[in-house]
Amino acid sequence: MQSKATTVEQYLAALPEDRRAAISAVRKVILENLDESYEEGMQYGMIGYYVPHKVFPAGYHCDPKQPLPFASLASQKSHMAVYLMCVYGQPEQEKWFREAWAKTGKKLDMGKSCVRFKKLEDVALDVIGEAIRRVPAKAYIEHYESVIRPPEKKKAPLAKRKPAVKKRA
């Protein structure tokens, strides 16, 4: 459920108290572990953490006007969620994340990048923090570019063309 809030403070103020407390606690952990090149703001109706255009001018390939998304935090209709693009599409990171979460004894409700939770007690805050800390912006951009803009392959030389046959008049 996208919010119409234009600032993080507005977003948080619009939440019911229990959700505000849970989202605020997860937000605090993210901010404590976030590389200084990332920024926090509203993105896609959620609290977003992204690589700003001043660091990565190309922006997000789906919408270059948007900065490159890294993580998001949202209160949805039936749950709250933290979206970790730093885990999505990176098998080693995902494996580490799932194993680290399992060691906490908490149940993981996860999609491709989305970790869903109903209350703060369901969240392994230390694992969320470490997942954020493990991926500085420079490494995230390198991975992103390797997947989205793979290096061009050398093109095979064009086959030699047969010279055109001139017709006599």
Side-chain angles (χ1 to χ4, degrees):
M1 172 164 77
Q2 286 193 349
S3 169
K4 302 242 187 275
T6 58
T7 67
V8 173
E9 291 73 23
Q10 287 175 351
Y11 185 89
L12 293 170
L15 296 176
E17 181 54 42
D18 60 332
R19 287 194 175 212
R20 184 178 320 118
I23 294 288
S24 294
V26 176
R27 176 180 177 238
K28 180 179 183 223
V29 168
I30 291 171
L31 290 171
E32 287 172 349
N33 290 280
L34 197 64
D35 179 69
E36 64 185 22
S37 294
Y38 294 111
E39 289 183 0
E40 178 189 57
M42 294 301 295
Q43 193 174 36
Y44 298 104
M46 302 179 277
I47 300 172
Y49 303 91
Y50 45 79
V51 182
H53 285 105
K54 68 184 177 193
V55 176
F56 186 63
Y60 186 35
H61 74 280
C62 294
D63 180 0
K65 293 176 189 168
Q66 289 287 329
L68 178 60
F70 172 68
S72 299
L73 190 53
S75 176
Q76 305 293 6
K77 184 176 182 180
S78 61
H79 64 273
M80 292 168 280
V82 59
Y83 298 85
L84 300 169
M85 295 305 291
C86 55
V87 173
Y88 176 70
Q90 297 191 49
E92 286 181 24
Q93 283 289 88
E94 182 180 351
K95 182 179 186 290
W96 169 84
F97 185 84
R98 289 180 180 278
E99 288 174 357
W101 195 286
K103 289 176 186 173
T104 69
K106 294 179 186 280
K107 182 179 181 231
L108 178 61
D109 181 2
M110 183 175 179
K112 290 183 179 183
S113 74
C114 171
V115 177
R116 294 173 287 271
F117 58 99
K118 299 223 183 238
K119 55 189 185 306
L120 184 59
E121 295 76 33
D122 298 337
V123 183
L125 291 172
D126 56 335
V127 178
I128 297 288
E130 181 63 13
I132 296 293
R133 190 197 62 73
R134 290 170 63 108
V135 187
K138 183 177 179 186
Y140 183 63
I141 292 166
E142 286 173 6
H143 173 75
Y144 177 78
E145 288 185 315
S146 75
V147 174
I148 299 304
R149 296 184 184 99
E152 287 191 31
K153 295 178 183 174
K154 289 185 179 179
K155 294 181 181 177
L158 294 174
K160 290 186 180 180
R161 295 186 200 184
K162 293 181 182 178
V165 177
K166 292 184 181 179
K167 292 185 180 181
R168 293 184 189 226

PDB file of all heavy atoms in Angstrom, residues 41-73:
ATOM      1  N   GLY A  41      14.996   8.556   1.900  1.00  0.00           N
ATOM      2  CA  GLY A  41      13.921   9.447   1.480  1.00  0.00           C
ATOM      3  C   GLY A  41      12.712   8.613   1.097  1.00  0.00           C
ATOM      4  O   GLY A  41      12.682   7.404   1.319  1.00  0.00           O
ATOM      5  N   MET A  42      11.746   9.254   0.530  1.00  0.00           N
ATOM      6  CA  MET A  42      10.549   8.535   0.077  1.00  0.00           C
ATOM      7  C   MET A  42      10.759   8.080  -1.367  1.00  0.00           C
ATOM      8  O   MET A  42      11.201   8.864  -2.207  1.00  0.00           O
ATOM      9  CB  MET A  42       9.309   9.420   0.186  1.00  0.00           C
ATOM     10  CG  MET A  42       8.926   9.769   1.607  1.00  0.00           C
ATOM     11  SD  MET A  42       8.585   8.313   2.651  1.00  0.00           S
ATOM     12  CE  MET A  42       7.141   7.641   1.837  1.00  0.00           C
ATOM     13  N   GLN A  43      10.443   6.834  -1.619  1.00  0.00           N
ATOM     14  CA  GLN A  43      10.586   6.274  -2.958  1.00  0.00           C
ATOM     15  C   GLN A  43       9.522   5.204  -3.131  1.00  0.00           C
ATOM     16  O   GLN A  43       9.399   4.298  -2.312  1.00  0.00           O
ATOM     17  CB  GLN A  43      11.996   5.693  -3.133  1.00  0.00           C
ATOM     18  CG  GLN A  43      12.355   5.365  -4.564  1.00  0.00           C
ATOM     19  CD  GLN A  43      13.809   4.932  -4.727  1.00  0.00           C
ATOM     20  OE1 GLN A  43      14.364   4.260  -3.870  1.00  0.00           O
ATOM     21  NE2 GLN A  43      14.410   5.313  -5.838  1.00  0.00           N
ATOM     22  N   TYR A  44       8.757   5.326  -4.188  1.00  0.00           N
ATOM     23  CA  TYR A  44       7.690   4.360  -4.497  1.00  0.00           C
ATOM     24  C   TYR A  44       6.704   4.204  -3.340  1.00  0.00           C
ATOM     25  O   TYR A  44       6.225   3.115  -3.046  1.00  0.00           O
ATOM     26  CB  TYR A  44       8.277   3.006  -4.907  1.00  0.00           C
ATOM     27  CG  TYR A  44       9.120   3.099  -6.143  1.00  0.00           C
ATOM     28  CD1 TYR A  44      10.503   3.063  -6.071  1.00  0.00           C
ATOM     29  CD2 TYR A  44       8.533   3.276  -7.396  1.00  0.00           C
ATOM     30  CE1 TYR A  44      11.290   3.184  -7.214  1.00  0.00           C
ATOM     31  CE2 TYR A  44       9.304   3.393  -8.537  1.00  0.00           C
ATOM     32  CZ  TYR A  44      10.680   3.344  -8.443  1.00  0.00           C
ATOM     33  OH  TYR A  44      11.446   3.464  -9.568  1.00  0.00           O
ATOM     34  N   GLY A  45       6.421   5.299  -2.633  1.00  0.00           N
ATOM     35  CA  GLY A  45       5.431   5.274  -1.559  1.00  0.00           C
ATOM     36  C   GLY A  45       5.900   4.608  -0.285  1.00  0.00           C
ATOM     37  O   GLY A  45       5.088   4.273   0.583  1.00  0.00           O
ATOM     38  N   MET A  46       7.207   4.392  -0.174  1.00  0.00           N
ATOM     39  CA  MET A  46       7.790   3.744   1.009  1.00  0.00           C
ATOM     40  C   MET A  46       9.013   4.550   1.455  1.00  0.00           C
ATOM     41  O   MET A  46       9.505   5.391   0.711  1.00  0.00           O
ATOM     42  CB  MET A  46       8.277   2.333   0.663  1.00  0.00           C
ATOM     43  CG  MET A  46       7.221   1.407   0.114  1.00  0.00           C
ATOM     44  SD  MET A  46       7.920  -0.217  -0.292  1.00  0.00           S
ATOM     45  CE  MET A  46       8.588   0.110  -1.919  1.00  0.00           C
ATOM     46  N   ILE A  47       9.514   4.225   2.639  1.00  0.00           N
ATOM     47  CA  ILE A  47      10.793   4.784   3.048  1.00  0.00           C
ATOM     48  C   ILE A  47      11.845   4.057   2.216  1.00  0.00           C
ATOM     49  O   ILE A  47      11.905   2.827   2.213  1.00  0.00           O
ATOM     50  CB  ILE A  47      11.061   4.570   4.544  1.00  0.00           C
ATOM     51  CG1 ILE A  47       9.969   5.254   5.386  1.00  0.00           C
ATOM     52  CG2 ILE A  47      12.447   5.088   4.922  1.00  0.00           C
ATOM     53  CD1 ILE A  47      10.046   4.940   6.874  1.00  0.00           C
ATOM     54  N   GLY A  48      12.634   4.823   1.494  1.00  0.00           N
ATOM     55  CA  GLY A  48      13.620   4.214   0.613  1.00  0.00           C
ATOM     56  C   GLY A  48      15.041   4.580   0.990  1.00  0.00           C
ATOM     57  O   GLY A  48      15.310   5.653   1.533  1.00  0.00           O
ATOM     58  N   TYR A  49      15.935   3.672   0.690  1.00  0.00           N
ATOM     59  CA  TYR A  49      17.366   3.879   0.850  1.00  0.00           C
ATOM     60  C   TYR A  49      17.935   3.628  -0.537  1.00  0.00           C
ATOM     61  O   TYR A  49      17.699   2.573  -1.130  1.00  0.00           O
ATOM     62  CB  TYR A  49      17.942   2.921   1.897  1.00  0.00           C
ATOM     63  CG  TYR A  49      17.215   3.110   3.208  1.00  0.00           C
ATOM     64  CD1 TYR A  49      16.087   2.353   3.519  1.00  0.00           C
ATOM     65  CD2 TYR A  49      17.601   4.112   4.083  1.00  0.00           C
ATOM     66  CE1 TYR A  49      15.374   2.575   4.679  1.00  0.00           C
ATOM     67  CE2 TYR A  49      16.890   4.344   5.257  1.00  0.00           C
ATOM     68  CZ  TYR A  49      15.786   3.570   5.548  1.00  0.00           C
ATOM     69  OH  TYR A  49      15.071   3.812   6.690  1.00  0.00           O
ATOM     70  N   TYR A  50      18.651   4.603  -1.065  1.00  0.00           N
ATOM     71  CA  TYR A  50      19.025   4.537  -2.475  1.00  0.00           C
ATOM     72  C   TYR A  50      20.368   5.208  -2.726  1.00  0.00           C
ATOM     73  O   TYR A  50      20.876   5.947  -1.904  1.00  0.00           O
ATOM     74  CB  TYR A  50      17.947   5.182  -3.343  1.00  0.00           C
ATOM     75  CG  TYR A  50      17.446   6.502  -2.806  1.00  0.00           C
ATOM     76  CD1 TYR A  50      18.164   7.677  -2.978  1.00  0.00           C
ATOM     77  CD2 TYR A  50      16.245   6.567  -2.087  1.00  0.00           C
ATOM     78  CE1 TYR A  50      17.708   8.879  -2.470  1.00  0.00           C
ATOM     79  CE2 TYR A  50      15.783   7.766  -1.574  1.00  0.00           C
ATOM     80  CZ  TYR A  50      16.523   8.918  -1.773  1.00  0.00           C
ATOM     81  OH  TYR A  50      16.070  10.117  -1.260  1.00  0.00           O
ATOM     82  N   VAL A  51      20.907   4.895  -3.920  1.00  0.00           N
ATOM     83  CA  VAL A  51      22.136   5.533  -4.378  1.00  0.00           C
ATOM     84  C   VAL A  51      21.689   6.786  -5.131  1.00  0.00           C
ATOM     85  O   VAL A  51      21.051   6.677  -6.181  1.00  0.00           O
ATOM     86  CB  VAL A  51      22.943   4.610  -5.315  1.00  0.00           C
ATOM     87  CG1 VAL A  51      24.247   5.289  -5.724  1.00  0.00           C
ATOM     88  CG2 VAL A  51      23.210   3.258  -4.667  1.00  0.00           C
ATOM     89  N   PRO A  52      21.978   7.971  -4.605  1.00  0.00           N
ATOM     90  CA  PRO A  52      21.503   9.197  -5.252  1.00  0.00           C
ATOM     91  C   PRO A  52      22.202   9.439  -6.596  1.00  0.00           C
ATOM     92  O   PRO A  52      23.270   8.892  -6.867  1.00  0.00           O
ATOM     93  CB  PRO A  52      21.867  10.289  -4.241  1.00  0.00           C
ATOM     94  CG  PRO A  52      23.016   9.726  -3.472  1.00  0.00           C
ATOM     95  CD  PRO A  52      22.798   8.243  -3.423  1.00  0.00           C
ATOM     96  N   HIS A  53      21.576  10.276  -7.420  1.00  0.00           N
ATOM     97  CA  HIS A  53      22.129  10.596  -8.739  1.00  0.00           C
ATOM     98  C   HIS A  53      23.523  11.219  -8.664  1.00  0.00           C
ATOM     99  O   HIS A  53      24.326  11.041  -9.579  1.00  0.00           O
ATOM    100  CB  HIS A  53      21.177  11.515  -9.512  1.00  0.00           C
ATOM    101  CG  HIS A  53      19.985  10.800 -10.032  1.00  0.00           C
ATOM    102  ND1 HIS A  53      18.737  10.925  -9.455  1.00  0.00           N
ATOM    103  CD2 HIS A  53      19.833   9.943 -11.073  1.00  0.00           C
ATOM    104  CE1 HIS A  53      17.877  10.182 -10.117  1.00  0.00           C
ATOM    105  NE2 HIS A  53      18.512   9.567 -11.109  1.00  0.00           N
ATOM    106  N   LYS A  54      23.823  11.918  -7.585  1.00  0.00           N
ATOM    107  CA  LYS A  54      25.162  12.526  -7.479  1.00  0.00           C
ATOM    108  C   LYS A  54      26.246  11.452  -7.367  1.00  0.00           C
ATOM    109  O   LYS A  54      27.399  11.696  -7.689  1.00  0.00           O
ATOM    110  CB  LYS A  54      25.232  13.515  -6.313  1.00  0.00           C
ATOM    111  CG  LYS A  54      25.140  12.884  -4.943  1.00  0.00           C
ATOM    112  CD  LYS A  54      25.123  13.928  -3.841  1.00  0.00           C
ATOM    113  CE  LYS A  54      24.950  13.254  -2.490  1.00  0.00           C
ATOM    114  NZ  LYS A  54      24.631  14.181  -1.438  1.00  0.00           N
ATOM    115  N   VAL A  55      25.871  10.245  -6.914  1.00  0.00           N
ATOM    116  CA  VAL A  55      26.813   9.126  -6.813  1.00  0.00           C
ATOM    117  C   VAL A  55      26.711   8.222  -8.043  1.00  0.00           C
ATOM    118  O   VAL A  55      27.711   7.734  -8.556  1.00  0.00           O
ATOM    119  CB  VAL A  55      26.550   8.305  -5.525  1.00  0.00           C
ATOM    120  CG1 VAL A  55      27.448   7.076  -5.458  1.00  0.00           C
ATOM    121  CG2 VAL A  55      26.748   9.175  -4.290  1.00  0.00           C
ATOM    122  N   PHE A  56      25.484   8.008  -8.524  1.00  0.00           N
ATOM    123  CA  PHE A  56      25.244   7.152  -9.692  1.00  0.00           C
ATOM    124  C   PHE A  56      24.282   7.887 -10.624  1.00  0.00           C
ATOM    125  O   PHE A  56      23.060   7.713 -10.554  1.00  0.00           O
ATOM    126  CB  PHE A  56      24.660   5.808  -9.237  1.00  0.00           C
ATOM    127  CG  PHE A  56      24.517   4.803 -10.340  1.00  0.00           C
ATOM    128  CD1 PHE A  56      25.631   4.327 -11.025  1.00  0.00           C
ATOM    129  CD2 PHE A  56      23.276   4.323 -10.693  1.00  0.00           C
ATOM    130  CE1 PHE A  56      25.498   3.391 -12.043  1.00  0.00           C
ATOM    131  CE2 PHE A  56      23.126   3.387 -11.707  1.00  0.00           C
ATOM    132  CZ  PHE A  56      24.242   2.927 -12.380  1.00  0.00           C
ATOM    133  N   PRO A  57      24.825   8.753 -11.496  1.00  0.00           N
ATOM    134  CA  PRO A  57      23.995   9.607 -12.353  1.00  0.00           C
ATOM    135  C   PRO A  57      23.020   8.864 -13.265  1.00  0.00           C
ATOM    136  O   PRO A  57      21.966   9.399 -13.597  1.00  0.00           O
ATOM    137  CB  PRO A  57      25.023  10.382 -13.192  1.00  0.00           C
ATOM    138  CG  PRO A  57      26.280  10.338 -12.403  1.00  0.00           C
ATOM    139  CD  PRO A  57      26.254   9.032 -11.660  1.00  0.00           C
ATOM    140  N   ALA A  58      23.330   7.637 -13.641  1.00  0.00           N
ATOM    141  CA  ALA A  58      22.449   6.890 -14.550  1.00  0.00           C
ATOM    142  C   ALA A  58      21.087   6.594 -13.931  1.00  0.00           C
ATOM    143  O   ALA A  58      20.098   6.443 -14.627  1.00  0.00           O
ATOM    144  CB  ALA A  58      23.122   5.585 -14.984  1.00  0.00           C
ATOM    145  N   GLY A  59      21.019   6.504 -12.610  1.00  0.00           N
ATOM    146  CA  GLY A  59      19.754   6.208 -11.941  1.00  0.00           C
ATOM    147  C   GLY A  59      19.301   4.776 -12.166  1.00  0.00           C
ATOM    148  O   GLY A  59      20.060   3.922 -12.629  1.00  0.00           O
ATOM    149  N   TYR A  60      18.060   4.537 -11.829  1.00  0.00           N
ATOM    150  CA  TYR A  60      17.460   3.205 -11.900  1.00  0.00           C
ATOM    151  C   TYR A  60      17.060   2.915 -13.344  1.00  0.00           C
ATOM    152  O   TYR A  60      16.366   3.718 -13.963  1.00  0.00           O
ATOM    153  CB  TYR A  60      16.255   3.176 -10.963  1.00  0.00           C
ATOM    154  CG  TYR A  60      15.581   1.842 -10.787  1.00  0.00           C
ATOM    155  CD1 TYR A  60      16.304   0.660 -10.791  1.00  0.00           C
ATOM    156  CD2 TYR A  60      14.214   1.779 -10.586  1.00  0.00           C
ATOM    157  CE1 TYR A  60      15.670  -0.556 -10.600  1.00  0.00           C
ATOM    158  CE2 TYR A  60      13.564   0.563 -10.382  1.00  0.00           C
ATOM    159  CZ  TYR A  60      14.304  -0.605 -10.398  1.00  0.00           C
ATOM    160  OH  TYR A  60      13.678  -1.805 -10.218  1.00  0.00           O
ATOM    161  N   HIS A  61      17.463   1.783 -13.881  1.00  0.00           N
ATOM    162  CA  HIS A  61      17.212   1.505 -15.301  1.00  0.00           C
ATOM    163  C   HIS A  61      15.727   1.485 -15.667  1.00  0.00           C
ATOM    164  O   HIS A  61      15.370   1.806 -16.778  1.00  0.00           O
ATOM    165  CB  HIS A  61      17.882   0.188 -15.734  1.00  0.00           C
ATOM    166  CG  HIS A  61      17.193  -1.035 -15.229  1.00  0.00           C
ATOM    167  ND1 HIS A  61      17.364  -1.499 -13.943  1.00  0.00           N
ATOM    168  CD2 HIS A  61      16.331  -1.881 -15.826  1.00  0.00           C
ATOM    169  CE1 HIS A  61      16.629  -2.586 -13.782  1.00  0.00           C
ATOM    170  NE2 HIS A  61      15.997  -2.845 -14.900  1.00  0.00           N
ATOM    171  N   CYS A  62      14.872   1.121 -14.733  1.00  0.00           N
ATOM    172  CA  CYS A  62      13.428   1.104 -15.009  1.00  0.00           C
ATOM    173  C   CYS A  62      12.853   2.505 -15.129  1.00  0.00           C
ATOM    174  O   CYS A  62      11.855   2.718 -15.811  1.00  0.00           O
ATOM    175  CB  CYS A  62      12.684   0.346 -13.912  1.00  0.00           C
ATOM    176  SG  CYS A  62      13.079  -1.406 -13.867  1.00  0.00           S
ATOM    177  N   ASP A  63      13.459   3.445 -14.424  1.00  0.00           N
ATOM    178  CA  ASP A  63      13.052   4.850 -14.453  1.00  0.00           C
ATOM    179  C   ASP A  63      14.274   5.689 -14.077  1.00  0.00           C
ATOM    180  O   ASP A  63      14.511   5.952 -12.891  1.00  0.00           O
ATOM    181  CB  ASP A  63      11.905   5.102 -13.472  1.00  0.00           C
ATOM    182  CG  ASP A  63      11.436   6.545 -13.466  1.00  0.00           C
ATOM    183  OD1 ASP A  63      11.987   7.377 -14.226  1.00  0.00           O
ATOM    184  OD2 ASP A  63      10.516   6.856 -12.681  1.00  0.00           O
ATOM    185  N   PRO A  64      15.080   6.082 -15.076  1.00  0.00           N
ATOM    186  CA  PRO A  64      16.320   6.806 -14.781  1.00  0.00           C
ATOM    187  C   PRO A  64      16.153   8.103 -13.987  1.00  0.00           C
ATOM    188  O   PRO A  64      17.125   8.603 -13.422  1.00  0.00           O
ATOM    189  CB  PRO A  64      16.893   7.091 -16.171  1.00  0.00           C
ATOM    190  CG  PRO A  64      16.317   6.017 -17.041  1.00  0.00           C
ATOM    191  CD  PRO A  64      14.933   5.786 -16.490  1.00  0.00           C
ATOM    192  N   LYS A  65      14.925   8.630 -13.887  1.00  0.00           N
ATOM    193  CA  LYS A  65      14.691   9.810 -13.056  1.00  0.00           C
ATOM    194  C   LYS A  65      14.788   9.447 -11.574  1.00  0.00           C
ATOM    195  O   LYS A  65      15.004  10.310 -10.729  1.00  0.00           O
ATOM    196  CB  LYS A  65      13.321  10.418 -13.349  1.00  0.00           C
ATOM    197  CG  LYS A  65      13.211  11.013 -14.734  1.00  0.00           C
ATOM    198  CD  LYS A  65      11.806  11.514 -14.977  1.00  0.00           C
ATOM    199  CE  LYS A  65      11.630  11.901 -16.431  1.00  0.00           C
ATOM    200  NZ  LYS A  65      10.244  12.126 -16.787  1.00  0.00           N
ATOM    201  N   GLN A  66      14.597   8.172 -11.261  1.00  0.00           N
ATOM    202  CA  GLN A  66      14.662   7.690  -9.883  1.00  0.00           C
ATOM    203  C   GLN A  66      16.097   7.310  -9.527  1.00  0.00           C
ATOM    204  O   GLN A  66      16.815   6.747 -10.359  1.00  0.00           O
ATOM    205  CB  GLN A  66      13.791   6.445  -9.707  1.00  0.00           C
ATOM    206  CG  GLN A  66      12.317   6.695  -9.760  1.00  0.00           C
ATOM    207  CD  GLN A  66      11.817   7.388  -8.512  1.00  0.00           C
ATOM    208  OE1 GLN A  66      12.356   7.211  -7.419  1.00  0.00           O
ATOM    209  NE2 GLN A  66      10.774   8.180  -8.672  1.00  0.00           N
ATOM    210  N   PRO A  67      16.530   7.579  -8.281  1.00  0.00           N
ATOM    211  CA  PRO A  67      17.831   7.073  -7.866  1.00  0.00           C
ATOM    212  C   PRO A  67      17.773   5.543  -7.758  1.00  0.00           C
ATOM    213  O   PRO A  67      16.691   4.958  -7.671  1.00  0.00           O
ATOM    214  CB  PRO A  67      18.050   7.730  -6.503  1.00  0.00           C
ATOM    215  CG  PRO A  67      16.711   8.145  -6.038  1.00  0.00           C
ATOM    216  CD  PRO A  67      15.849   8.339  -7.246  1.00  0.00           C
ATOM    217  N   LEU A  68      18.923   4.921  -7.762  1.00  0.00           N
ATOM    218  CA  LEU A  68      19.015   3.456  -7.720  1.00  0.00           C
ATOM    219  C   LEU A  68      18.583   2.911  -6.361  1.00  0.00           C
ATOM    220  O   LEU A  68      19.232   3.156  -5.348  1.00  0.00           O
ATOM    221  CB  LEU A  68      20.461   3.039  -8.024  1.00  0.00           C
ATOM    222  CG  LEU A  68      20.783   1.557  -7.990  1.00  0.00           C
ATOM    223  CD1 LEU A  68      19.951   0.787  -9.008  1.00  0.00           C
ATOM    224  CD2 LEU A  68      22.269   1.348  -8.247  1.00  0.00           C
ATOM    225  N   PRO A  69      17.458   2.159  -6.295  1.00  0.00           N
ATOM    226  CA  PRO A  69      16.973   1.619  -5.020  1.00  0.00           C
ATOM    227  C   PRO A  69      17.930   0.587  -4.430  1.00  0.00           C
ATOM    228  O   PRO A  69      18.504  -0.222  -5.156  1.00  0.00           O
ATOM    229  CB  PRO A  69      15.648   0.936  -5.387  1.00  0.00           C
ATOM    230  CG  PRO A  69      15.293   1.425  -6.740  1.00  0.00           C
ATOM    231  CD  PRO A  69      16.571   1.800  -7.405  1.00  0.00           C
ATOM    232  N   PHE A  70      18.083   0.623  -3.121  1.00  0.00           N
ATOM    233  CA  PHE A  70      18.939  -0.321  -2.402  1.00  0.00           C
ATOM    234  C   PHE A  70      18.124  -1.116  -1.377  1.00  0.00           C
ATOM    235  O   PHE A  70      18.251  -2.320  -1.269  1.00  0.00           O
ATOM    236  CB  PHE A  70      20.069   0.442  -1.712  1.00  0.00           C
ATOM    237  CG  PHE A  70      20.906  -0.387  -0.787  1.00  0.00           C
ATOM    238  CD1 PHE A  70      21.729  -1.384  -1.286  1.00  0.00           C
ATOM    239  CD2 PHE A  70      20.888  -0.178   0.586  1.00  0.00           C
ATOM    240  CE1 PHE A  70      22.506  -2.159  -0.432  1.00  0.00           C
ATOM    241  CE2 PHE A  70      21.662  -0.936   1.438  1.00  0.00           C
ATOM    242  CZ  PHE A  70      22.475  -1.932   0.929  1.00  0.00           C
ATOM    243  N   ALA A  71      17.295  -0.427  -0.633  1.00  0.00           N
ATOM    244  CA  ALA A  71      16.443  -1.067   0.377  1.00  0.00           C
ATOM    245  C   ALA A  71      15.224  -0.181   0.585  1.00  0.00           C
ATOM    246  O   ALA A  71      15.249   1.010   0.264  1.00  0.00           O
ATOM    247  CB  ALA A  71      17.200  -1.259   1.690  1.00  0.00           C
ATOM    248  N   SER A  72      14.167  -0.767   1.103  1.00  0.00           N
ATOM    249  CA  SER A  72      12.953  -0.003   1.412  1.00  0.00           C
ATOM    250  C   SER A  72      12.326  -0.569   2.668  1.00  0.00           C
ATOM    251  O   SER A  72      12.570  -1.715   3.041  1.00  0.00           O
ATOM    252  CB  SER A  72      11.939  -0.094   0.261  1.00  0.00           C
ATOM    253  OG  SER A  72      12.469   0.438  -0.910  1.00  0.00           O
ATOM    254  N   LEU A  73      11.490   0.237   3.271  1.00  0.00           N
ATOM    255  CA  LEU A  73      10.809  -0.132   4.499  1.00  0.00           C
ATOM    256  C   LEU A  73       9.372   0.342   4.369  1.00  0.00           C
ATOM    257  O   LEU A  73       9.133   1.501   4.021  1.00  0.00           O
ATOM    258  CB  LEU A  73      11.517   0.563   5.659  1.00  0.00           C
ATOM    259  CG  LEU A  73      11.194   0.199   7.079  1.00  0.00           C
ATOM    260  CD1 LEU A  73      11.302  -1.294   7.331  1.00  0.00           C
ATOM    261  CD2 LEU A  73      12.140   0.953   8.013  1.00  0.00           C
TER     262      LEU A  73
END
